[in-house]
Amino acid sequence: MAKYQHILVALDLSEESDQVLQQAIELATNSGAKLSLAHVIEPLTFAYGGDIPVDLTEVQEQLQVQAQEQLDKIVSNITIGTHNQHVVIGQPAAEIHRLAEEEDCDLVVVGSHGRRGLALLLGSTANGVLHGAKCDVLAVRVSLPE
């Protein structure tokens, strides 16, 4: 197995994020790697088609603050400096690629729900990250809460 230096963990802040983070922590511990976390918020104009004649800046800022608070809660039991926590706005796969390059990461860890059928054809963030990354990508199969 490769010895990684810097691991970027892409979290969607769902209940399954802890499974992805725990796997990344184990890898980082075994490799002696630095760990960075990322959460990407899609711009509201993407989500709503951009046809709404309303200024969504304040709503977008609130989403960003809430995401940072959730990320802070997730990492409260581990030591990761705020400079290694990234909450950004953009297209998830593209932003994860950008962060991985900017931070000189040699591994990106993402969660995968193992979609099948139509959801598989439409793609997922994990698939998008895999097909554009310039470093290794680990897709952690997460199990949904029962």
Side-chain angles (χ1 to χ4, degrees):
M1 179 163 83
K3 184 166 174 87
Y4 296 107
Q5 303 297 312
H6 191 174
I7 300 171
L8 177 65
V9 187
L11 299 173
D12 64 4
L13 303 180
S14 67
E15 291 180 23
E16 296 84 33
S17 289
D18 190 54
Q19 296 172 49
V20 177
L21 182 57
Q22 291 308 314
Q23 189 74 273
I25 289 170
E26 186 175 325
L27 277 168
T29 301
N30 291 338
S31 294
K34 181 167 96 171
L35 203 57
S36 290
L37 307 179
H39 174 70
V40 182
I41 303 168
E42 287 198 61
L44 290 175
T45 54
F46 284 2
Y48 295 104
D51 295 334
I52 301 172
V54 175
D55 182 8
L56 298 173
T57 305
E58 187 175 323
V59 175
Q60 190 78 60
E61 288 171 358
Q62 288 175 352
L63 289 173
Q64 204 165 358
V65 167
Q66 289 173 350
Q68 186 61 58
E69 289 171 354
Q70 284 182 278
L71 193 60
D72 290 343
K73 187 184 289 186
I74 289 171
V75 301
S76 63
N77 295 330
I78 58 175
T79 305
I80 294 182
T82 55
H83 60 282
N84 290 332
Q85 297 177 39
H86 308 276
V87 175
V88 296
I89 297 172
Q91 194 282 327
E95 290 300 317
I96 292 166
H97 293 153
R98 180 186 63 76
L99 278 170
E101 285 186 51
E102 281 181 9
E103 298 293 317
D104 198 27
C105 297
D106 48 5
L107 176 66
V108 175
V109 178
V110 296
S112 174
H113 295 280
R115 293 183 172 87
R116 294 182 171 84
L118 185 58
L120 180 61
L121 292 175
L122 294 175
S124 67
T125 299
N127 191 41
V129 171
L130 176 65
H131 288 355
K134 295 182 179 174
C135 63
D136 290 351
V137 176
L138 172 63
V140 176
R141 176 68 53 100
V142 296
S143 54
L144 299 173
E146 295 181 17

